[in-house]
Amino acid sequence: MTKRVVLIGHPVAHSLSGAMQQAALDAAGIDAIYEVWDRSPLALPAAVAEVRGDDFLGANVTIPHKERVVPLVDRLTEEAQATGAVNTITREGRRLVGHNTDVAGFEIALDRLVGRQKMPKQAVLLGAGGGARAVTYALIRAGFQRIVIFNRHLHRAEGLVKHFARSAAHMDLKAMPWHESIIESELTRTKLLVNATSIGLARDETPVRGEILPGDLLVLDLIYDQTRFLRDARAAGNTVSDGETMLLHQGAAAFKLWTGQEAPLEVMTTALSAARAGGVRSAEGEPAGEEPAGEADQATAASGVG
Ligand code: NDP
């Protein structure tokens, strides 16, 4: 029987994950099809229930469902529990397990960016969505002592800080209002700057003006593109990295969970490049559309995080 893996998102027409995972399945000789399902939040429970079927190896979950899917699975791994977000589902019989491979993907991206330098201890994080949760957890695990989170809607950043209160009890994790002067001041006290907002994804926009970027930072944009933010940061002399490594390695970790096999990284990298050259954007990167204010917060509350 041909097996199935499905990416559930909304909207999610074409995706880099689809190209990358199908190429990996084919290269590994696994008879499986990677499908893409566009499901609204209301249709999510039925979609997740379908993944319990014998023909499924598992699923990926992306914007805007990563937090909403938490109460719909039977068990969470440590990363999924800690972040309150699930991007990968596997089956144990008819039971579903929620994983968060964005954490591992970010950890590899961070290690590559830091290289031979000492792991920094201070970070500024822009954004407070699902991606930011994976970043925050990875930074706490990496021993960061100070993480300052800026978000357009301050209450969401405050919710994130509250969510991690226990695991960050030994360090300084705080939310601050999005004012350029405050961001500028924090940047003088940090070593790592991460963009986990979707600013720069659909348009050539940047979350922070190049003028306020110092020249001695490690800068990572989760967006899989040479964004204006990264171009400005590089021009100012900073060491920069885009979201490709994270996307590749969260996908590789998911592949291993579904198949039990090591992911063919080179094949996946080539498929990513080809898909991008053909104009496909990341499902991670599709704008989630305008959600009614508060819906995301309700989903967070429903997921039992905090
Ligand atoms: P969410 O929808 O959960 O969060 C989006 C974030 O962007 C929020 O912090 C939101 O702020 C902010 N934002 C969006 N538009 C604006 C705007 N116009 N002005 C200010 N802030 C804005 O998405 P994710 O966290 O899942 O993803 C965020 C980004 O990270 C995406 O670009 C995605 O591509 C990338 N990503 C990449 C991954 C990879 O593997 N490379 C993995 C995961 C994510 P607010 O809360 O105020 O609305």
Side-chain angles (χ1 to χ4, degrees):
M1 173 172 55
T2 300
K3 295 284 187 183
R4 304 163 76 188
V5 184
V6 62
L7 168 68
I8 309 171
H10 181 65
V12 53
H14 303 284
S15 83
L16 288 173
S17 286
M20 172 172 82
Q21 297 292 3
Q22 190 64 59
L25 291 164
D26 294 346
I30 296 167
D31 180 17
I33 294 185
Y34 190 93
E35 302 170 17
V36 176
W37 292 356
D38 185 337
R39 295 291 186 273
S40 71
L42 275 180
L44 182 67
V48 173
E50 210 176 324
V51 177
R52 294 179 192 274
D54 279 346
D55 45 341
F56 282 90
L57 294 177
N60 271 146
V61 180
T62 190
I63 291 175
H65 299 318
K66 286 184 185 177
E67 293 161 41
R68 227 171 249 128
V69 83
V70 165
L72 302 177
V73 298
D74 304 297
R75 184 167 75 76
L76 296 173
T77 60
E78 184 204 318
E79 286 83 4
Q81 177 83 52
T83 53
V86 163
N87 80 326
T88 301
I89 297 175
T90 55
R91 279 182 46 232
E92 284 174 347
R94 287 188 65 79
R95 286 166 54 81
L96 298 181
V97 184
H99 308 253
N100 189 319
T101 67
D102 283 339
V103 175
F106 178 79
E107 283 173 342
I108 294 173
L110 178 65
D111 276 348
R112 298 264 167 91
L113 178 64
V114 171
R116 293 183 182 185
Q117 301 176 50
K118 229 174 101 200
M119 184 58 76
K121 298 281 179 221
Q122 299 88 23
V124 166
L125 173 58
L126 307 174
R133 280 174 180 250
V135 171
T136 303
Y137 185 59
L139 294 178
I140 294 171
R141 258 201 335 206
F144 276 68
Q145 289 302 311
R146 180 179 167 85
I147 305 171
V148 181
I149 302 171
F150 293 94
N151 197 51
R152 173 178 56 177
H153 296 106
L154 177 60
H155 68 91
R156 199 171 180 194
E158 288 171 339
L160 193 155
V161 168
K162 199 168 155 214
H163 175 87
F164 286 103
R166 204 179 302 162
S167 40
H170 62 289
M171 42 102 48
D172 198 8
L173 175 67
K174 58 172 71 169
M176 285 196 180
W178 190 295
H179 289 305
E180 191 176 86
S181 59
I182 307 179
I183 297 176
E184 184 171 14
S185 152
E186 275 306 320
L187 288 180
T188 64
R189 304 179 59 185
T190 201
K191 260 314 280 178
L192 175 72
L193 170 61
V194 179
N195 177 35
T197 74
S198 41
I199 304 172
L201 184 69
R203 282 183 291 275
D204 194 30
E205 293 172 349
T206 177
V208 289
R209 286 189 306 123
E211 287 81 353
I212 70 162
L213 294 172
D216 57 350
L217 300 183
L218 299 168
V219 179
L220 208 156
D221 197 334
L222 263 51
I223 297 173
Y224 176 33
D225 209 351
Q226 283 303 305
T227 54
R228 187 164 148 210
F229 171 68
L230 283 189
R231 298 197 308 273
D232 288 351
R234 186 186 284 115
N238 300 287
T239 306
V240 306
S241 172
D242 72 18
E244 177 180 1
T245 306
M246 179 172 173
L247 183 68
L248 175 68
H249 287 279
Q250 62 77 26
F255 179 91
K256 189 170 181 189
L257 288 167
W258 298 321
T259 66
Q261 298 186 25
E262 289 300 330
L265 287 175
E266 272 183 33
V267 170
M268 292 167 86
T269 308
T270 307
L272 272 180
S273 304
R276 256 191 69 74
V280 177
R281 296 197 351 252
S282 173
E284 294 287 1
E286 304 294 354
E290 289 303 314
E291 275 186 34
E295 192 180 331
D297 301 326
Q298 281 164 21
T300 306
S303 73
V305 298

